[in-house]
Amino acid sequence: MSPRRNRPKGGENPTEPRSGTAGDRFGLQSTELWQGEEWSVRHVAGASAAGKRYRCPGCDQEIPSGVPHLVAWSEYGGVDDRRHWHKACWNAKDRRTSKVQRSRNAPRY
Protein backbone atom coordinates (compact mmCIF):
# COMPACT_ATOMS: atom_id res chain seq x y z
CA MET A 1 0.00 0.00 0.00
CA SER A 2 1.44 3.38 -0.93
CA PRO A 3 1.34 6.37 1.43
CA ARG A 4 -1.31 9.06 1.17
CA ARG A 5 -0.41 12.05 -0.99
CA ASN A 6 -0.65 15.33 0.97
CA ARG A 7 0.46 17.69 -1.77
CA PRO A 8 -1.82 18.96 -4.56
CA LYS A 9 -1.34 17.43 -7.99
CA GLY A 10 -0.34 19.49 -11.00
CA GLY A 11 0.95 23.04 -11.19
CA GLU A 12 -1.01 24.46 -8.26
CA ASN A 13 1.18 26.69 -6.12
CA PRO A 14 0.26 26.41 -2.39
CA THR A 15 1.73 29.86 -1.62
CA GLU A 16 -0.83 31.63 -3.84
CA PRO A 17 -4.11 32.66 -2.19
CA ARG A 18 -7.20 30.63 -2.99
CA SER A 19 -9.78 32.04 -5.36
CA GLY A 20 -12.64 34.04 -3.86
CA THR A 21 -13.31 37.67 -3.18
CA ALA A 22 -12.62 37.49 0.54
CA GLY A 23 -9.74 35.91 2.42
CA ASP A 24 -9.82 32.93 4.74
CA ARG A 25 -10.47 35.16 7.72
CA PHE A 26 -13.94 36.14 6.52
CA GLY A 27 -14.91 33.19 4.34
CA LEU A 28 -15.84 33.06 0.68
CA GLN A 29 -18.07 35.81 -0.65
CA SER A 30 -20.31 35.78 -3.70
CA THR A 31 -23.07 37.87 -5.26
CA GLU A 32 -26.57 36.50 -5.93
CA LEU A 33 -29.68 37.96 -7.51
CA TRP A 34 -32.82 37.75 -5.32
CA GLN A 35 -36.08 39.73 -5.52
CA GLY A 36 -34.62 41.94 -8.24
CA GLU A 37 -31.64 43.03 -6.11
CA GLU A 38 -28.04 41.94 -5.90
CA TRP A 39 -27.13 40.40 -2.55
CA SER A 40 -23.67 39.78 -1.17
CA VAL A 41 -23.45 36.40 0.53
CA ARG A 42 -20.53 35.48 2.79
CA HIS A 43 -19.98 32.06 4.37
CA VAL A 44 -19.08 32.24 8.07
CA ALA A 45 -17.33 29.37 9.84
CA GLY A 46 -19.02 30.25 13.12
CA ALA A 47 -15.89 30.12 15.26
CA SER A 48 -15.21 33.83 14.73
CA ALA A 49 -18.48 34.80 16.42
CA ALA A 50 -17.87 33.06 19.74
CA GLY A 51 -20.52 33.91 22.29
CA LYS A 52 -22.88 35.56 19.77
CA ARG A 53 -26.29 34.27 18.76
CA TYR A 54 -28.28 35.33 15.73
CA ARG A 55 -31.86 34.78 14.58
CA CYS A 56 -32.32 33.38 11.07
CA PRO A 57 -34.95 35.38 9.13
CA GLY A 58 -35.81 32.29 7.06
CA CYS A 59 -36.97 30.00 9.87
CA ASP A 60 -37.04 32.46 12.80
CA GLN A 61 -34.84 30.06 14.81
CA GLU A 62 -31.71 30.94 16.72
CA ILE A 63 -28.28 30.28 15.21
CA PRO A 64 -26.13 29.26 18.19
CA SER A 65 -22.56 30.35 18.65
CA GLY A 66 -20.03 28.31 16.68
CA VAL A 67 -22.46 27.01 14.04
CA PRO A 68 -21.42 27.58 10.40
CA HIS A 69 -23.91 29.83 8.57
CA LEU A 70 -23.91 32.68 6.07
CA VAL A 71 -24.42 36.42 6.14
CA ALA A 72 -26.40 38.13 3.38
CA TRP A 73 -27.02 41.80 2.69
CA SER A 74 -28.30 43.90 -0.17
CA GLU A 75 -25.66 45.62 -2.29
CA TYR A 76 -27.47 48.91 -1.72
CA GLY A 77 -27.99 48.44 1.99
CA GLY A 78 -25.72 49.34 4.85
CA VAL A 79 -24.08 47.42 7.65
CA ASP A 80 -27.35 47.35 9.59
CA ASP A 81 -29.03 45.40 6.77
CA ARG A 82 -26.85 42.29 7.17
CA ARG A 83 -28.74 39.16 8.19
CA HIS A 84 -27.39 35.83 9.41
CA TRP A 85 -29.05 32.83 7.73
CA HIS A 86 -28.80 29.07 8.03
CA LYS A 87 -27.39 27.80 4.75
CA ALA A 88 -30.46 25.62 4.11
CA CYS A 89 -32.81 28.53 4.85
CA TRP A 90 -30.98 30.79 2.39
CA ASN A 91 -31.18 28.08 -0.29
CA ALA A 92 -34.94 27.68 0.36
CA LYS A 93 -35.72 31.41 0.61
CA ASP A 94 -37.88 31.38 -2.55
CA ARG A 95 -40.01 28.51 -1.25
CA ARG A 96 -40.84 30.16 2.08
CA THR A 97 -43.66 32.54 2.92
CA SER A 98 -42.86 36.16 3.60
CA LYS A 99 -44.42 36.26 7.09
CA VAL A 100 -43.17 33.86 9.75
CA GLN A 101 -45.39 33.72 12.82
CA ARG A 102 -43.53 33.70 16.13
CA SER A 103 -44.88 32.03 19.20
CA ARG A 104 -46.04 34.29 22.00
CA ASN A 105 -43.01 33.57 24.20
CA ALA A 106 -40.32 33.86 21.52
CA PRO A 107 -37.68 36.56 21.99
CA ARG A 108 -38.03 39.56 19.66
CA TYR A 109 -34.46 40.12 18.42
Side-chain angles (χ1 to χ4, degrees), residues 9 41 73:
K9 292 181 180 180
V41 179
W73 65 95

Side-chain angles (χ1 to χ4, degrees), residues 3-88:
R4 186 173 63 133
R5 183 183 178 104
N6 290 328
R7 285 173 278 150
K9 292 181 180 180
E12 189 176 334
N13 187 352
T15 59
E16 292 179 9
R18 286 188 280 172
S19 61
T21 57
D24 290 338
R25 182 173 175 212
F26 298 111
L28 294 177
Q29 184 172 329
S30 63
T31 304
E32 295 185 23
L33 188 64
W34 181 48
Q35 295 181 340
E37 292 185 45
E38 286 190 10
W39 288 74
S40 292
V41 179
R42 180 179 293 161
H43 294 267
V44 179
S48 61
K52 292 186 179 181
R53 293 181 174 195
Y54 303 102
R55 186 161 295 277
C56 175
C59 65
D60 202 38
Q61 299 295 313
E62 205 171 78
I63 301 173
S65 175
V67 172
H69 60 281
L70 48 91
V71 179
W73 65 95
S74 172
E75 287 288 324
Y76 303 107
V79 175
D80 295 334
D81 293 333
R82 291 184 297 188
R83 295 292 175 256
H84 295 254
W85 292 72
H86 293 107
K87 186 175 180 181

